[in-house]
Amino acid sequence: MSNTDNTGSDPFTSSVIQASLVAAADEMFAVLRKTAMSPIIYEVLDVGTGITDARGDLVSSGAGIPTFVGVLDKAVRRILEIHGAETIRPGDMFITNDPYFGGVTHLNDVVVALPVFCGGCLMAWTASIAHWNDVGGRVAGSMSTEATEIFQEGLRLPAVRFFENGEPVKSVFDIIAANSRLPDFARGDLWSQVAASRIAEKRIRDLVSNFGTDAFLAALDDLFEEGERRALAGLAGLPQGTFSIREEQDDGAIWHASITIEKDRFAVDLRDNPVQRTAPYNTSRDGAVISAQMIFKALADPTLFANAGSFRILEVLTEPGTIFHSTGTAPHGYYFETRIRLYDMLWQCLARAMPERLPAGHFASICGTVIAGEHPDHGRRYTMVEPQMGGWGATAERDGLDAMYSCSHGETFNCPIEIAEARYGLEVAYKRLNESDEGHGLHVGGKGLSQAYRMRAKALLSAGYSRARQPVWGLNGGERGGTNGFSILRRDGGRSQHDFASGIALEPGDMVLIHTANGGGWGKG
């Protein structure tokens, strides 16, 4: 069939194309999971996959972390801004990890984007993002709590071509390998992302070949319009007005947000917030937008359906130079704690207005735990990157869920104990629900997690746990949940308590003890 066929307005054809694009994004995810080298990708699924149109507007997404999927369209648009659509050719592929060049998050999260050409015209992009174990920087695992500039956090890839005319740019691959403590893993995970983009590229080309350019573009237009219709319908069921919140953070800083809901507008105002820090707790404006997108989507249309049209009526206001819109060379290593805390604050703001609809607070931290060293059995270097699970808040109808990943994580899993012990050469001494009883109420908050790693060899630990001092919030009279934290129990009996730390030296026999919070209670018990 000609790729200029005029079947664009046929709703059945549009439905087939739209479903096929969703399937292609899911297939990307499956390829990435099956071919990656790192457990953080193939077990935890710390990835996101998606397809955008030629302009970088999100069309479809695969499984994975919702906040990662939200990166992909923004990364593609930044690549187009930097390079210009007129310079992009068939066979190009781009890579970025820098939040100031479309990476959005931090240097460990690597975006690969491939422009899809059909008949010489740019029709779409396929993109993925995945957490890499190590991209250099001050500490193994590349997440130093002591970083004051982004230069200290590892290799920056500023939206560069790493394929031209379908061939790899060897120098870029060499630079990546030379800047990682785990070069084999970096190469392997990179090629898995390349494979994921290529399979979706083939599916898109087949669609355009089978149904024609006009039909393909019409299907995208219909998809975006459906996303906007769904968002407007969901918005109509929300209370109108302006809702504000002021919240103290663990470090004593005061954050502010206001949310204005109108019949055709959902606006999040984050302008009145602290200036960016010379510490790795900043996020990009795009990162703040993703937090707003998540809360808006959960309220307006809590289904798997999501594309650029879903967010047309969302407005996010930020102030450059603040923690939610960092500029210059501010570091981003623990951006995820700032972003999840922002999402949690927006959630709390609206939960106060709609306590029957939203649950109480959850443990609200990624609790990212990085242990790096040499395997005691064969000496190969490893870097374990493990988010932790915690308690979710109770709702108006039931108790909270026990030991779940955070609201940022979506369809991710914990790394099985057997794999962790085999790959990293440490011992998981125990993994169980914690025994604390915070989060009482008419409905009780879910249980957090207690876990212990016992070291068999020397290693270095870096980790960041927020909500370490300010407990999880309860709702509608329910009691507060607990706090997150970790401690080091030395083999000689000494013990130290931490929330954010990096480069902690561990010796054989030392234990890392992890405690995550219970969720908040709902209603008076």
Side-chain angles (χ1 to χ4, degrees):
M1 181 177 291
S2 168
N3 64 4
T4 59
D5 198 39
N6 59 2
T7 58
S9 61
D10 175 8
F12 297 102
T13 300
S14 287
S15 294
V16 170
I17 292 171
Q18 292 165 5
S20 298
L21 289 169
V22 173
D26 282 336
E27 190 174 8
M28 288 181 71
F29 184 86
V31 168
L32 192 48
R33 181 180 186 179
K34 292 290 187 181
T35 60
M37 287 188 65
S38 300
I40 186 65
I41 298 177
Y42 69 74
E43 288 291 348
V44 178
L45 308 183
D46 201 352
V47 299
T49 59
I51 294 169
T52 79
D53 70 2
R55 300 181 301 271
D57 289 335
L58 184 67
V59 172
S60 62
S61 60
I65 296 178
T67 59
F68 268 15
V69 171
V71 167
L72 301 176
D73 56 340
K74 300 164 185 63
V76 169
R77 286 197 292 267
R78 185 74 171 112
I79 291 168
L80 285 164
E81 179 185 340
I82 291 169
H83 292 275
E86 68 280 0
T87 73
I88 296 171
R89 300 286 183 265
D92 286 349
M93 201 177 303
F94 296 84
I95 186 168
T96 187
N97 69 340
D98 193 306
Y100 302 111
F101 292 87
V104 178
T105 58
H106 65 170
L107 301 184
N108 287 86
D109 298 333
V110 179
V111 175
V112 166
L114 183 157
V116 180
F117 286 82
C118 301
C121 295
L122 178 59
M123 297 295 294
W125 291 75
T126 67
S128 67
I129 179 171
H131 184 107
W132 289 12
N133 290 331
D134 190 280
V135 290
R138 292 179 57 142
V139 298
S142 312
M143 291 190 293
S144 171
T145 59
E146 299 174 356
T148 59
E149 294 181 291
I150 196 169
F151 307 113
Q152 299 163 343
E153 295 184 324
L155 174 66
R156 302 174 71 187
L157 297 164
V160 296
R161 284 181 177 85
F162 73 113
F163 272 79
E164 288 185 287
N165 298 317
E167 296 297 324
V169 180
K170 183 177 182 297
S171 57
V172 177
F173 281 79
D174 290 344
I175 289 168
I176 291 171
N179 280 275
S180 175
R181 296 174 179 85
L182 300 167
D184 292 346
F185 285 86
R187 279 190 290 259
D189 293 338
L190 175 56
W191 277 107
S192 72
Q193 290 184 255
V194 170
S197 267
R198 283 177 168 170
I199 193 66
E201 176 192 30
K202 182 179 187 302
R203 301 297 180 244
I204 293 168
R205 286 179 171 175
D206 289 346
L207 283 173
V208 175
S209 176
N210 290 336
F211 296 104
T213 299
D214 292 344
F216 182 83
L217 296 177
L220 299 193
D221 289 340
D222 290 346
L223 197 64
F224 295 147
E225 290 175 7
E226 175 65 13
E228 186 173 13
R229 282 195 297 270
R230 285 173 177 250
L232 285 167
L235 192 66
L238 302 180
Q240 293 190 15
T242 297
F243 310 92
S244 299
I245 188 170
R246 174 186 184 276
E247 186 181 48
E248 182 178 348
Q249 303 302 306
D250 285 346
D251 62 359
I254 304 298
W255 292 4
H256 300 86
S258 66
I259 299 172
T260 299
I261 302 175
E262 300 171 350
K263 66 177 182 178
D264 58 356
R265 177 173 172 261
F266 188 102
V268 179
D269 190 341
L270 303 173
R271 289 175 292 185
D272 183 20
N273 276 294
V275 298
Q276 66 190 42
R277 301 177 59 183
T278 54
Y281 310 117
N282 304 288
T283 190
S284 62
R285 170 178 159 77
D286 282 339
V289 169
I290 290 170
S291 289
Q293 287 179 325
M294 286 179 61
I295 193 69
F296 173 70
K297 186 70 170 65
L299 289 167
D301 182 23
T303 68
L304 292 177
F305 187 97
N307 60 52
S310 305
F311 305 107
R312 283 176 176 170
I313 60 176
L314 172 65
E315 179 182 355
V316 182
L317 304 173
T318 58
E319 180 68 26
T322 62
I323 56 170
F324 300 136
H325 188 158
S326 61
T327 58
T329 60
H332 288 245
Y334 286 87
Y335 83 94
F336 45 83
E337 290 302 313
T338 299
R339 200 159 79 180
I340 194 172
R341 301 292 303 111
L342 170 59
Y343 177 83
D344 183 68
M345 183 172 70
L346 298 177
W347 175 351
Q348 183 181 177
C349 179
L350 291 178
R352 293 173 180 175
M354 296 178 280
E356 301 294 330
R357 184 163 178 174
L358 291 171
H362 77 321
F363 73 112
S365 175
I366 305 302
C367 297
T369 309
V370 178
I371 299 176
E374 294 183 359
H375 197 293
D377 296 335
H378 47 65
R380 188 175 186 181
R381 295 187 73 164
Y382 72 88
T383 299
M384 182 197 84
V385 183
E386 184 78 348
Q388 304 298 333
M389 299 176 288
W392 275 61
T395 76
E397 298 178 347
R398 58 166 173 77
D399 293 343
L401 300 175
D402 299 331
M404 300 291 290
Y405 274 129
S406 74
C407 58
S408 291
H409 268 92
E411 298 174 278
T412 54
F413 301 91
N414 64 302
C415 184
I417 289 172
E418 297 83 357
I419 290 177
E421 291 184 334
R423 292 297 297 264
Y424 309 132
L426 47 74
E427 177 187 350
V428 180
Y430 59 80
K431 192 171 193 174
R432 59 189 180 229
L433 297 180
N434 68 42
E435 298 175 357
S436 59
D437 59 357
E438 298 97 342
H440 286 297
L442 176 64
H443 298 294
V444 179
K447 291 286 190 181
L449 184 74
S450 290
Q451 178 165 296
Y453 298 109
R454 181 181 287 115
M455 305 310 302
R456 295 177 51 217
K458 291 183 177 182
L460 292 175
L461 169 69
S462 298
Y465 291 40
S466 59
R467 278 234 180 269
R469 295 176 179 82
Q470 296 291 336
V472 175
W473 48 274
L475 185 61
N476 204 37
E479 294 184 12
R480 297 189 301 181
T483 56
N484 305 303
F486 67 96
S487 59
I488 310 300
L489 179 61
R490 300 295 182 177
R491 57 185 176 182
D492 63 4
R495 185 165 180 164
S496 57
Q497 186 71 31
H498 304 274
D499 49 10
F500 282 88
S502 59
I504 298 176
L506 301 174
E507 299 291 334
D510 290 348
M511 294 181 69
V512 180
L513 308 178
I514 291 166
H515 177 93
T516 64
N518 289 358
W522 192 99
K524 294 183 178 179

